[in-house]
Amino acid sequence: MIQASPSALSQLQQQSETPILAKFVAPHCSGCITLKPVLEQIARNHAEQLHLIEIDITEEPELAIDLDVRSVPTVVLFQQEQEIGRLVGLQPKQYYTHLVQQAL
């Protein structure tokens, strides 16, 4: 998992045709901690087909505002610069798996 800044996300979006699963988190978010191993397992299962990045909204508030992230955890799936799916709040694992399957 990559800790991403706005410039790192933008660069990844421009240079990679692989879908990007961006997890927006905050230090106070217990759901974010619960979600971390779930997304890491999904990313391992699709290692060559998916980028997993983590963005701390307390460190990158402008990016969160630009992407309309209002609560954490929020997971956004990008295909290059286009958002193709979003899940807000802690959801069952199958929802995240289905979200990733849409892009593959």
Side-chain angles (χ1 to χ4, degrees):
M1 182 174 337
I2 302 168
Q3 298 288 331
S5 65
S7 61
L9 175 60
S10 179
Q11 183 177 15
L12 191 57
Q13 288 174 319
Q14 292 172 14
Q15 295 179 353
S16 178
E17 293 189 23
T18 303
I20 303 161
L21 194 62
K23 178 178 76 157
F24 291 86
V25 301
H28 65 276
C29 171
S30 61
C32 299
I33 295 166
T34 303
L35 182 57
K36 186 173 185 169
V38 172
L39 293 182
E40 287 176 347
Q41 180 184 19
I42 291 170
R44 276 192 307 273
N45 292 345
H46 302 287
E48 300 299 317
Q49 304 167 300
L50 182 72
H51 293 289
L52 177 61
I53 63 171
E54 183 174 282
I55 300 165
D56 185 330
I57 65 168
T58 63
E59 294 178 13
E60 304 295 346
E62 295 85 16
L63 181 58
I65 291 167
D66 289 347
L67 295 174
D68 199 29
V69 174
R70 298 173 184 225
S71 65
V72 289
T74 294
V75 175
V76 181
L77 183 63
F78 295 100
Q79 185 71 50
Q80 293 181 312
E81 295 180 0
Q82 180 162 352
E83 179 180 325
I84 57 175
R86 178 181 293 232
L87 291 169
V88 178
L90 191 57
Q91 304 293 330
K93 180 181 178 181
Q94 66 205 35
Y95 288 30
Y96 300 102
T97 302
H98 179 71
L99 179 67
V100 168
Q101 290 298 328
Q102 292 180 132
L104 300 179

